[in-house]
Amino acid sequence: MTEIVMTQTPPILHGPSEKEKKYDRQLRLWAASGQAALESANILLVNSGTGTVGIETLKNLVLPGIGRFTIVDDAVVDEPDLGVNFFLDESCLGKLRSQCCTQLLQELNPEVKGDCYPKSKAAVDLNNILTTSPTFTLIMYTMPIKPEDLATLEAYGRQHCTPLVSIHTAGFYSYFRISLPGAFPIVDTHPDAEKTVDLRLTQPWPELVQFAEEMTQDIESLDDHAHGHLPYVVILLYYLGKWRDAHNGANPTEYKAKVEFRKTVADAARTDNPEGGEENFQEAVAAVNRSVKAQSLEPTLREVFDHELSNEAELRSSFWVIANAVKKFHDKHGALPLPGSLPDMKAESKVYVKLQSIYKAKARKDVSEVLETARAMAGGEDVDPAEVEMFCKNASFVKLVNATTDGRDLSKIYDSEKANDELAEAVGMPLSLMPIYLALSATSHNAAATIDEIKAEVSRRIPGAADDMRVLQAAQEVARAAGGELHDLSAVIGGMVAQEVIKIITKQYIPIDNTCIFDGISSRCQALRL
Amino acid sequence: MLKIWSMKKEQQKADNADAAAGKKKKVTAAQLRVQKDLSELSLGSTMKTEFPDPDDILNFVLAITPDEGLYNGGRFTFTFNMSQNYPHEPPKVRCQQKIYHPNIDLEGKVCLNILREDWKPVLNLNAVIVGLQFLFLEPNASDPLNKEAAEDLRQSRDNFRRNVKTSMGGGSVKGNPYDRVLVNHHSYFHPYYDQRGGSSAGQEGKDFEEHQGRQDQGTVEGRG
Amino acid sequence: MAVDAGVGINEANRWRYLNHIRKTKGPFNEDAEISEDGPDPLQQSKILVIGAGGLGCEMLKNLAMSGFKDIHVIDMDTIDISNLNRQFLFRQHDVGKSKAEVASAFVMKRVKGVKITPHNCKIQDFDEDFYKQFQIVICGLDSIEARRWINATLVNMVDDEDPDSLKPLIDGGTEGFKGQTRVVFPTITPCIECQLDLYAPRAAVPLCTLATIPRQPEHCIEWAHIIAWDQEKPFPSLDKDDPEHITWLYEKALNRAQEFNIPGVTYSLTQGTVKNIIPAIASTNAIIAGSCCLEALKIATQAAPSLGFNDNFMSYDGTEGVYTNTFKYEKKDDCAVCGSLAKPLKVDPNWTLRELLESFATNAAAQLKKPSIRTEEKTLYMQFPPSLEETTRPNLDKKLRDGLGLVEKQEIAVTDPAFPLLSFKFILRFS
């Protein structure tokens, strides 16, 4: 039995490679392109303090297979390390923490290269490490950190356009903040499949119109089988045509008209058949709401179209060339390039496949028009057709993270959070977690600060804030930890940071903009732009 | 340890349940639901259940003997199997005979929406049984499981009727032998079935092949 | 506490950060009972981890690093190569070995002083006596059925006379960049069964679409899986982990797709569709397992208020920024597991079943006219359907104990068509 199957299997049918098998569960999320981006990533962790959250983060990056990591940490392993850091054991006592963690992390995935500094028990020269290492894709650092090291990392980030991630964890509290080098566009945002359906029912093109007309010219005389297998796209195009004839050419895009139009379609279903109704007409009725609509731009895409290119890197990037070409396409046609995918719907196989090819052909045509426009633009001569295709397919959901650089006055944000809290308290919604951020960041350079020291530092940044009861409680809670990490909380944050790092490296899904505050007591987080 | 117990005591209502744990196994949620479904079943005269093991109510056989329509005179049995995930998952239902029906394939799989895509936990066994009964009264040629049968029904109801009778008698249709499901020979030769079939007699002859030796295989009468 | 683990490490030093936090009260646990010299809850708590997969590996690490000393883990699975991208206690050379055993050995070697007992079997292989020994149960499962089983077991175990019979259940789950943590105090707060509607059943395609009008690559794969396999039976039974079987389905699906001009059938899609593969990554597991263990630590030590009585559910979504929704799920009055808990019922063991049934008619709490009655393993009497009524009718004249073999503390379930929304469970007490 076995042999027969094997000999019948043509060579193209061979299964996945060992690597594809190992990474199967993640390839289903970010595909080969995302995996390739991860595998060429070179990540730096500057570790300090009780040192666990950064290592937990790296664990979650080594497993999916980043290319390379480097740990900078001058701590020597001490007994308390063994009570909080899983990537150390008693044989590590007295050795360099960076070295021991690197070794145990590397065991997780032989395909990942690891490096560490310092090489011997000596002071770390961060500047020297940065200048002698291959360029880092992304840098993470944990709090507390020496102010001069922070300045060094920030300078490197500016110079090399490197995303920086700062992480601070103490007891039940944590926050992490991502600094991206300028506006960060993402094309492959993975929106929900149903959101992406774009059937162009109110703006059909000639091939689609002709196809629908051919199927419906004798709609009343179709036999039950044919009538019950008209694809809902065709049904809607037919009744939209009749609707426009009766309404001076207007489509039923307003609420009241939609309700009426839905009824028209529902009434057109045949009920004198064994099933007592028609599934395709039910699908058509259900699709009216989301698919019969005037074309409009998502605000996130509007932001992309309106973005003013501000630096050299942006001017050179193919993303902005394509965005510009798509904008021109939109200006000219009053619609975006067609994404081209057709949702499943009741239909005969042949009819569905034909309809699918009509959508695909139109999408390909739009892609080539955009490509032509892009190639005619300065800097667009060598634009990759695959990149254009990806952009056109996802155009509606392209997203600019870190779009603006303004509005980061901490006092103003705090005032607005306090104002929100008054409303939230009245309706029983969760309150702002900003007090946690304030209390933690008051210990950025002094992990073991007392309650009074924390209060003083908060007040220095936002006068009066330390008198707030919730800020006081947060300060008490931070002081309670005395700079110590809880392993469970660091595991949670290590997972959250790794997710964000993966999104940034793969340029897929949407990374946080820009700070996440986590409260391990109430088990919830808040995203804030700080 | 958190004082959960004192919170329980606080919350406890006066008449709250006493679940003094015994060693005996507890009735599972699926069993309880099937018990309820069974006691609320409304079986007409054309349907009967059989429990191979009366203590295992998650498995039983339903026999349908339609008293009208194209399948009148036949007796069709379906196995019902409910998993411990019932009613979160639909019951698994299979026809035990190989029959000529557009919505039941030759392996006994049944195309009934509530057995698959439209199942909801609020539905019950009664809904499924009503659905099965309906399939025998109104075989549906649109999107079938048995394409030949559906094509046949679409083209000529009379011809389809004859082929159904042939198949129910244990004969072959289009070269495919079917299980004999007739309750008795009398209904097969009932004049009603042949009263309107004159026009395509030739085709009937072509479709009909008496299949020797199948008479006792898989028929319901033979079962204990 | 200051006893060392036998490797020359001072335990007080080693657990300094953890102990400092849990022995110092903060503003949110002022009412906690934390004593310097009383028994240490971490030393005393025996904790059960169900599942040694993506979540389970993380949970074992986290619990060991949270100071728990006595941990058991149940998993019947063996290690597969596709586990290695996240189940970080396993290596290439472990493929094929027991997950529970490899995971336990790894963590015990790394974290000295913790005892982890692996059970390479199904959760259903154990009875209440086994589950009784634990103080907390944490689940990292991928099956709804297993969750429902352990949930029902823990709910049914609660004995009103025994505080120790109540075991907090912490449950984690992930899918891609999303996940959830929930805490159940059985019989007090909503149980897993109360929350079943969270699991939307997998969208199914009509069988007739597969058979007659396929349009999508998945339709061709499901056709191969459900229809072609059944017709041709190329192997005695389908093993979804056997690449040869998947290849057979892939080939069938591919041929069918070519016949209908449908693009997109790949090996990976075939495998994903047939096995219902849910994407899984290390980072999401870390978040959810970390959150579950943090709740366990809070419950065990009272170092902070846990999820449970108020908010009891945290859902996480990392697809678009970072988003959590932490809320209070409500208990369902008609929950099949915790909605109608078994009540004690005094009966005379010498009664016949008929006498018992008659007593239901006059029982103020029940007032049942047409009761049907079963135990877990025996159908005692069913009023309907007729075939079952007939077979069980002889039981009516048998005595409960001697004739039917019912015993003290046996659970019986009673239904009546007059009360379509209700069912009654009783624990027999012989008078």
Side-chain angles (χ1 to χ4, degrees):
Chain A
M1 204 70 189
T2 305
E3 286 81 358
I4 294 165
V5 170
M6 292 307 283
T7 51
Q8 279 175 348
T9 306
I12 53 146
L13 290 181
H14 65 70
S17 68
E18 285 300 294
K19 196 161 130 183
E20 283 166 332
K21 280 190 208 158
K22 177 165 121 182
Y23 292 140
D24 179 83
R25 300 302 186 268
Q26 66 199 45
L27 288 170
R28 291 173 193 275
L29 281 179
W30 52 67
S33 61
Q35 189 62 30
L38 280 181
E39 287 174 18
S40 51
N42 179 21
I43 291 178
L44 172 66
L45 167 68
V46 179
N47 207 13
S48 66
T50 50
T52 298
V53 69
I55 301 299
E56 287 290 308
T57 309
L58 273 185
K59 154 185 153 287
N60 300 322
L61 294 171
V62 168
L63 285 163
I66 51 167
R68 191 184 164 89
F69 70 89
T70 302
I71 300 176
V72 174
D73 183 352
D74 61 6
V76 169
V77 179
D78 196 2
E79 284 176 337
D81 281 313
L82 304 187
V84 70
N85 192 331
F86 186 76
F87 292 91
L88 295 171
D89 63 20
E90 65 271 22
S91 72
C92 301
L93 288 170
K95 296 181 186 161
L96 277 166
R97 194 164 70 181
S98 55
Q99 218 167 42
C100 299
C101 288
T102 299
Q103 197 187 338
L104 291 182
L105 280 172
Q106 262 190 297
E107 285 179 4
L108 300 179
N109 192 344
E111 282 160 271
V112 179
K113 290 193 191 69
D115 199 359
C116 53
Y117 293 97
K119 297 291 178 195
S120 61
K121 287 179 194 165
V124 164
D125 181 349
L126 194 53
N127 237 322
N128 187 43
I129 294 167
L130 289 172
T131 47
T132 55
S133 300
T135 313
F136 291 106
T137 319
L138 181 141
I139 297 175
M140 311 188 291
Y141 57 92
T142 60
M143 302 292 195
I145 188 169
K146 282 183 237 148
E148 59 271 25
D149 284 350
L150 180 57
T152 304
L153 293 175
E154 285 175 340
Y156 182 91
R158 277 191 301 274
Q159 191 193 342
H160 295 88
C161 288
T162 314
L164 302 181
V165 185
S166 67
I167 316 167
H168 195 157
T169 299
F172 287 99
Y173 287 166
S174 177
Y175 78 85
F176 60 90
R177 180 166 177 272
I178 295 172
S179 310
L180 292 168
F184 192 82
I186 298 194
V187 176
D188 197 1
T189 50
H190 294 262
D192 288 343
E194 61 202 56
K195 272 211 280 183
T196 63
V197 172
D198 181 354
L199 298 173
R200 293 294 158 91
L201 296 175
T202 57
Q203 278 175 299
W205 58 100
E207 290 83 357
L208 179 61
V209 172
Q210 194 196 339
F211 178 80
E213 278 174 358
E214 277 168 16
M215 288 197 81
T216 51
Q217 53 193 357
D218 270 325
I219 191 166
E220 299 309 333
S221 58
L222 291 175
D223 67 29
D224 281 353
H225 184 80
H227 195 262
H229 285 79
L230 288 171
Y232 78 71
V233 166
V234 169
I235 297 174
L236 290 176
L237 285 169
Y238 175 74
Y239 288 101
L240 278 171
K242 296 190 93 175
W243 177 276
R244 281 192 301 268
D245 291 345
H247 293 82
N248 296 321
N251 280 307
T253 49
E254 300 306 319
Y255 175 74
K256 239 186 100 183
K258 271 191 182 183
V259 173
E260 206 183 316
F261 179 66
R262 260 208 312 262
K263 193 171 176 312
T264 310
V265 178
D267 289 347
R270 295 185 187 171
T271 52
D272 54 347
N273 51 7
E275 302 97 319
E278 288 180 308
E279 223 179 303
N280 55 340
F281 275 75
Q282 286 170 14
E283 288 179 353
V285 171
V288 167
N289 240 351
R290 58 166 200 273
S291 288
V292 178
K293 59 181 177 192
Q295 294 294 318
S296 68
L297 279 189
E298 295 282 333
T300 44
L301 181 61
R302 171 70 63 197
E303 198 172 27
V304 173
F305 283 173
D306 292 348
H307 182 73
E308 307 246 340
L309 299 188
S310 55
N311 62 42
E312 270 298 294
E314 287 188 346
L315 286 168
R316 274 184 276 118
S317 101
S318 53
F319 171 86
W320 289 108
V321 171
I322 300 169
N324 204 354
V326 170
K327 183 168 185 257
K328 287 196 161 130
F329 183 100
H330 183 260
D331 291 345
K332 182 174 163 196
H333 300 283
L336 289 169
L338 185 76
S341 59
L342 184 68
D344 190 34
M345 61 190 69
K346 179 148 185 189
E348 293 275 19
S349 305
K350 261 190 214 148
V351 172
Y352 179 83
V353 169
K354 174 75 183 135
L355 188 57
Q356 204 177 28
S357 72
I358 291 171
Y359 273 84
K360 284 230 172 84
K362 165 72 169 147
R364 272 197 290 271
K365 200 173 143 223
D366 290 356
V367 168
S368 37
E369 186 179 329
V370 172
L371 180 64
E372 208 176 301
T373 311
R375 288 206 162 150
M377 291 163 55
E381 300 80 3
D382 299 321
V383 153
D384 180 3
E387 205 183 335
V388 174
E389 198 184 327
M390 173 68 100
F391 198 118
C392 291
K393 207 170 157 33
N394 291 287
S396 269
F397 302 94
V398 169
K399 163 95 182 163
L400 209 50
V401 181
N402 199 36
T404 57
T405 45
D406 44 68
R408 298 208 200 174
D409 182 299
L410 202 62
S411 291
K412 279 193 193 142
I413 298 170
Y414 178 70
D415 289 343
S416 118
E417 287 293 295
K418 279 206 58 148
N420 277 346
D421 275 0
E422 282 173 29
L423 287 172
E425 204 150 25
V427 295
M429 296 288 286
L431 302 180
S432 172
L433 298 184
M434 192 162 177
I436 294 177
Y437 171 80
L438 293 176
L440 275 176
S441 58
T443 64
S444 291
H445 310 298
N446 174 18
T450 63
I451 296 175
D452 287 339
E453 285 169 331
I454 295 170
K455 279 167 69 182
E457 177 62 17
V458 170
S459 290
R460 195 186 62 75
R461 298 177 79 188
I462 305 178
D467 301 329
D468 182 276
M469 202 264 286
R470 297 193 62 238
V471 175
L472 176 67
Q473 286 178 329
Q476 288 171 333
E477 196 57 46
V478 170
R480 176 189 178 200
E485 284 175 86
L486 280 178
H487 182 86
D488 293 329
L489 195 107
S490 295
V492 174
I493 304 305
M496 291 168 77
V497 175
Q499 276 199 355
E500 298 313 300
V501 169
I502 288 167
K503 291 190 272 181
I504 291 168
I505 292 173
T506 59
K507 295 202 170 68
Q508 292 186 38
Y509 303 88
I510 302 175
I512 191 168
D513 192 9
N514 56 17
T515 304
C516 173
I517 308 167
F518 185 77
D519 176 7
I521 296 175
S522 66
S523 288
R524 59 195 185 87
C525 74
Q526 181 183 7
L528 267 182
R529 191 173 156 79
L530 295 174
Chain B
M1 189 83 176
L2 182 61
K3 295 286 173 266
I4 305 165
W5 194 253
S6 54
M7 302 292 284
K8 178 176 169 70
K9 289 293 170 197
E10 277 170 34
Q11 287 196 356
Q12 219 157 34
K13 295 178 200 116
D15 65 344
N16 204 359
D18 174 351
K23 287 277 174 73
K24 278 286 166 189
K25 281 188 179 168
K26 301 299 193 318
V27 178
T28 66
Q31 286 177 330
L32 193 58
R33 173 59 192 268
V34 171
Q35 181 178 335
K36 210 181 323 192
D37 279 13
L38 286 175
S39 55
E40 288 161 18
L41 224 50
S42 67
L43 295 176
S45 58
T46 60
M47 286 182 290
K48 244 185 122 167
T49 55
E50 290 167 32
F51 287 78
D53 174 2
D55 290 331
D56 175 13
I57 56 169
L58 299 186
N59 284 290
F60 66 88
V61 176
L62 174 78
I64 303 184
T65 47
D67 59 1
E68 53 178 323
L70 299 171
Y71 291 87
N72 186 353
R75 186 168 187 274
F76 307 91
T77 60
F78 292 85
T79 54
F80 277 63
N81 165 256
M82 278 65 68
S83 73
Q84 288 295 347
N85 239 354
Y86 184 80
H88 195 65
E89 277 173 11
K92 290 187 184 65
V93 174
R94 266 207 184 215
C95 182
Q96 291 183 299
Q97 293 79 36
K98 184 175 169 187
I99 68 170
Y100 187 67
H101 190 295
N103 312 111
I104 298 175
D105 75 7
L106 302 186
E107 278 73 39
K109 284 195 286 295
V110 182
C111 188
L112 184 64
N113 60 338
I114 55 168
L115 282 178
R116 198 171 149 84
E117 68 273 12
D118 291 334
W119 173 259
K120 294 178 201 69
V122 295
L123 293 172
N124 57 18
L125 291 175
N126 218 36
V128 173
I129 287 173
V130 169
L132 289 178
Q133 198 178 20
F134 185 75
L135 278 186
F136 286 108
L137 296 178
E138 288 281 1
N140 180 355
S142 200
D143 308 328
L145 277 184
N146 182 335
K147 264 174 273 183
E148 283 80 24
E151 196 51 42
D152 192 11
L153 172 58
R154 252 207 302 270
Q155 282 176 3
S156 154
R157 201 174 167 85
D158 286 340
N159 209 39
F160 176 71
R161 180 197 310 276
R162 257 191 308 278
N163 283 331
V164 166
K165 290 307 150 193
T166 304
S167 68
M168 283 168 53
S172 290
V173 178
K174 302 203 169 86
N176 231 327
Y178 288 89
D179 286 346
R180 188 184 138 84
V181 294
L182 289 179
V183 179
N184 55 52
H185 288 258
H186 174 71
S187 49
Y188 177 58
F189 293 112
H190 195 286
Y192 172 81
Y193 297 106
D194 295 310
Q195 66 193 10
R196 289 172 32 176
S199 61
S200 49
Q203 201 171 347
E204 185 186 353
K206 189 180 72 195
D207 283 342
F208 186 93
E209 292 170 44
E210 186 58 58
H211 204 89
Q212 296 292 335
R214 283 195 67 85
Q215 297 257 339
D216 293 320
Q217 286 178 17
T219 59
V220 177
E221 293 96 304
R223 297 171 54 84
Chain C
M1 194 62 210
V3 183
D4 74 41
V7 286
I9 297 174
N10 181 301
E11 284 290 281
N13 272 347
R14 177 176 167 197
W15 300 104
R16 197 167 75 202
Y17 304 133
L18 175 68
N19 288 344
H20 179 76
I21 293 170
R22 68 188 181 97
K23 297 201 169 164
T24 310
K25 279 193 188 180
F28 301 102
N29 70 334
E30 283 163 345
D31 302 334
E33 290 169 23
I34 294 165
S35 76
E36 197 53 52
D37 15 83
D40 184 345
L42 288 180
Q43 301 276 349
Q44 294 200 315
S45 301
K46 203 185 235 192
I47 192 157
L48 174 66
V49 177
I50 301 184
L55 285 168
C57 283
E58 299 274 347
M59 286 168 172
L60 290 173
K61 173 203 73 165
N62 293 343
L63 293 172
M65 298 304 294
S66 300
F68 288 97
K69 300 295 176 212
D70 193 351
I71 305 169
H72 285 235
V73 58
I74 309 179
D75 198 314
M76 61 181 289
D77 271 354
T78 54
I79 297 159
D80 180 77
I81 181 166
S82 65
N83 301 145
L84 302 183
N85 79 324
R86 61 195 188 285
Q87 300 179 17
F88 69 102
L89 303 174
F90 309 143
R91 304 288 172 260
Q92 181 76 42
H93 58 79
D94 295 321
V95 168
K97 297 182 192 162
S98 150
K99 285 188 176 181
E101 284 164 16
V102 175
S104 302
F106 191 106
V107 175
M108 278 171 64
K109 182 162 175 269
R110 182 67 57 83
V111 185
K112 291 285 153 39
V114 64
K115 187 178 119 207
I116 305 181
T117 313
H119 303 279
N120 181 16
C121 63
K122 293 196 287 196
I123 51 173
Q124 290 87 348
D125 292 347
F126 292 113
D127 60 12
E128 287 184 5
D129 279 343
F130 173 81
Y131 292 105
K132 234 188 231 167
Q133 63 182 308
F134 302 102
Q135 276 68 55
I136 298 174
V137 177
I138 305 191
C139 294
L141 287 162
D142 56 5
S143 126
I144 301 170
E145 203 171 333
R147 279 195 178 93
R148 292 178 69 188
W149 189 89
I150 189 68
N151 176 65
T153 301
L154 294 182
V155 169
N156 285 324
M157 259 166 70
V158 176
D159 178 346
D160 241 21
E161 286 145 34
D162 177 13
D164 291 338
S165 67
L166 197 151
K167 321 286 184 193
L169 170 65
I170 304 172
D171 177 64
T174 74
E175 174 170 0
F177 285 95
K178 302 176 188 176
Q180 93 260 331
T181 297
R182 51 186 160 173
V183 175
V184 176
F185 298 143
T187 72
I188 309 177
T189 68
C191 76
I192 306 277
E193 195 83 9
C194 292
Q195 306 175 26
L196 257 197
D197 45 5
L198 290 175
Y199 300 99
R202 198 179 165 200
V205 180
L207 266 189
C208 40
T209 297
L210 307 182
T212 321
I213 45 169
R215 300 173 295 262
Q216 305 294 335
E218 291 86 352
H219 297 170
C220 301
I221 294 165
E222 284 289 320
W223 173 85
H225 177 202
I226 297 174
I227 296 174
W229 182 280
D230 210 31
Q231 282 169 354
E232 302 183 30
K233 296 195 175 61
F235 301 90
S237 68
L238 177 59
D239 177 358
K240 294 173 180 176
D241 292 317
D242 187 331
E244 238 177 273
H245 296 196
I246 297 290
T247 301
W248 188 91
L249 293 174
Y250 168 44
E251 199 183 335
K252 279 280 159 196
L254 197 59
N255 284 335
R256 186 162 174 87
Q258 278 159 357
E259 184 190 329
F260 287 92
N261 262 320
I262 298 168
V265 172
T266 61
Y267 185 93
S268 165
L269 186 69
T270 305
Q271 196 189 23
T273 307
V274 171
K275 288 184 71 179
N276 191 18
I277 291 180
I278 295 173
I281 52 175
S283 41
T284 314
N285 285 321
I287 297 166
I288 297 304
S291 157
C292 287
C293 295
L294 194 60
E295 296 309 319
L297 181 70
K298 292 193 287 187
I299 289 172
T301 65
Q302 302 186 64
S306 73
L307 291 179
F309 290 112
N310 295 309
D311 290 347
N312 49 40
F313 198 109
M314 191 269 294
S315 77
Y316 186 92
D317 187 348
T319 50
E320 201 177 325
V322 176
Y323 174 80
T324 56
N325 182 18
T326 304
F327 62 99
K328 180 177 187 171
Y329 207 102
E330 296 294 339
K331 206 163 184 275
K332 284 217 171 72
D333 291 339
D334 60 349
C335 171
V337 170
C338 75
S340 62
L341 296 173
K343 296 179 172 61
L345 181 72
K346 277 218 158 71
V347 296
D348 181 340
N350 292 316
W351 275 357
T352 60
L353 185 60
R354 191 186 304 279
E355 283 172 303
L356 174 65
L357 293 185
E358 280 163 2
S359 81
F360 286 131
T362 51
N363 182 324
Q367 302 198 30
L368 304 176
K369 302 279 179 326
K370 291 193 92 180
S372 291
I373 175 168
R374 291 189 76 256
T375 68
E376 196 274 333
E377 52 226 332
K378 198 167 172 60
T379 303
L380 297 173
Y381 182 68
M382 291 286 290
Q383 305 262 4
F384 207 81
S387 66
L388 211 46
E389 194 278 332
E390 204 176 313
T391 8
T392 55
R393 200 183 303 151
N395 287 344
L396 285 175
D397 295 316
K398 291 183 187 162
K399 287 187 174 171
L400 299 183
R401 183 174 53 202
D402 300 334
L404 295 166
L406 297 182
V407 296
E408 180 90 17
K409 289 197 174 183
Q410 180 120 32
E411 188 182 280
I412 55 169
V414 184
T415 56
D416 190 309
F419 300 94
L421 297 176
L422 287 178
S423 52
F424 302 86
K425 286 193 274 185
F426 297 102
I427 304 270
L428 295 184
R429 294 279 167 82
F430 289 156
S431 56

